[in-house]
Amino acid sequence: MKKIMAILLCAALIASFTGCGKTDEGEVSQNAQEAENQGTENTDVANTEKEEETAKEDYKFAIIIPTSGNEYFQGEIDALQAVLDEYGYELNVISYDMDATKQVSSVENLITMGVDAALIFPMDKESVDTACKSAMDAGVKIISGGIALDNMNALYNTDQVEAGNTISGMGCDYIKETYGDNEVEVAMLVDTSNSNMATRSEAMKETLAKECPNALLVKEIEANDTESGMSAAENIIQGNPDVKVVICINDASALGVVEAYKAANVTEIAVFGSDGTAEGLKKISEGESLKGTIAFGAINLGEQLIKLAKGENVDELLSPPIIKITESNVAEYMAE
């Protein structure tokens, strides 16, 4: 009897251990499955976050310019393209060809194009501000070049008074060095097509009158590109042959003046411009009649646009320093 009871007790003990073993194995299996499911969920979340991060990095940019035939604006395009290419970002280049209606539609199209941030060079505030508001309401970040708008994230603008003062200041220095206190006839090519150029033009005239009282301004003509600059110079050569200095609103018009005087075989002429274009610097370095220009120090607008697209803040005013370039230092800037 005792032997039978011992056998039954052993059987019961074995059964109890076996039962416990089955329960633990089930729990382990269940826990493993839960861990596997949790791991899958974590992987899915990580992949989703990665995809969202990648999508956010796929930014599109645009530059809207008034004309495609200007070396200054081409320089702005090239500078932006170089920066954005480093990141693999797309840059859309849009010219509104000095057409106010086309300018507005160009800004409105930024929304349908899916542009995240744009550099815009407006004709004037009134014609484009409403379109910029619509674009910003749709999430487009805007840097305005040259004209302060009610609807923009930042203003990229030169101190136009300082620019005008510096251009005419170079002309005055040349007159003093070359002609002393003798009276010298001067012509000026100005641009009043927008508020910035009008401000620069006015500063040019004021500085000439203030710093060079022996300079006699005998001709003032509207010109802002090479063709109009050449036409203006031909007019001056015919009507005012004693002009010795021509002070120009920009390099584009100044280059037209240089070519016109060269074609007329007039050598006693000094021309001054602005914008520090490659062709302008080349003419100065070659000892042509273009004697000086101003350039604008570097502001990395590409990086500024990228910051805006990412939701980061930038300075409200992006103003480049003004650099005076003459034959004495032109080589330094041509090498860059």
Side-chain angles (χ1 to χ4, degrees), residues 190-319:
V190 299
D191 180 9
T192 58
S193 64
N194 63 63
S195 59
N196 275 288
M197 291 301 96
T199 299
R200 183 187 294 188
S201 298
E202 189 61 31
M204 287 162 55
K205 289 184 283 186
E206 290 179 358
T207 298
L208 182 67
K210 180 180 178 181
E211 295 188 10
C212 204
N214 58 314
L216 182 62
L217 183 59
V218 297
K219 200 75 172 180
E220 181 181 329
I221 304 176
E222 290 271 341
N224 59 16
D225 57 26
T226 302
E227 184 178 352
S228 60
M230 185 176 293
S231 176
E234 291 168 350
N235 184 311
I236 296 166
I237 292 168
Q238 291 294 322
N240 304 89
D242 293 328
V243 163
K244 297 295 186 287
V245 175
V246 182
I247 299 173
C248 305
I249 190 71
N250 58 19
D251 279 358
S253 59
L255 290 170
V257 173
V258 169
E259 292 307 313
Y261 273 91
K262 189 174 183 179
N265 293 316
V266 177
T267 56
E268 192 180 349
I269 190 70
V271 184
F272 296 88
S274 166
D275 295 340
T277 62
E279 186 62 25
L281 299 183
K282 182 173 180 289
K283 293 293 186 185
I284 293 172
S285 70
E286 292 173 348
E288 296 262 2
S289 57
L290 185 59
K291 302 300 182 184
T293 185
I294 62 172
F296 305 102
I299 287 184
N300 194 325
L301 291 176
E303 294 289 353
Q304 302 299 314
L305 286 173
I306 291 170
K307 285 183 178 181
L308 286 174
K310 291 183 175 181
E312 300 175 18
N313 294 325
V314 302
D315 292 338
E316 292 182 358
L317 177 61
L318 306 171
S319 184

Side-chain angles (χ1 to χ4, degrees), residues 58-96:
D58 188 21
Y59 299 115
K60 292 179 69 175
F61 300 89
I63 178 171
I64 299 178
I65 57 175
T67 176
S68 57
N70 184 290
E71 189 177 348
Y72 169 76
F73 291 119
Q74 187 58 52
E76 295 287 0
I77 293 168
D78 292 343
L80 276 184
Q81 190 75 66
V83 174
L84 298 179
D85 280 350
E86 292 180 10
Y87 295 90
Y89 295 148
E90 177 183 346
L91 176 64
N92 297 276
V93 179
I94 306 164
S95 173
Y96 56 85

Side-chain angles (χ1 to χ4, degrees), residues 144-156:
S144 176
I147 295 178
L149 304 174
D150 292 334
N151 299 283
M152 64 180 184
N153 297 95
L155 173 64
Y156 171 52

Side-chain angles (χ1 to χ4, degrees), residues 59-65 90-96 102-122 128 130-144 149 151 153 305:
Y59 299 115
K60 292 179 69 175
F61 300 89
I63 178 171
I64 299 178
I65 57 175
E90 177 183 346
L91 176 64
N92 297 276
V93 179
I94 306 164
S95 173
Y96 56 85
K102 189 175 178 181
Q103 173 190 219
V104 171
S105 63
S106 296
V107 175
E108 292 172 341
N109 288 341
L110 296 176
I111 302 171
T112 56
M113 291 167 62
V115 168
D116 296 287
L119 171 61
I120 300 172
F121 290 92
V128 77
T130 301
C132 286
K133 183 180 187 305
S134 299
M136 290 187 69
D137 288 345
V140 181
K141 304 298 192 299
I142 292 175
I143 296 178
S144 176
L149 304 174
N151 299 283
N153 297 95
L305 286 173

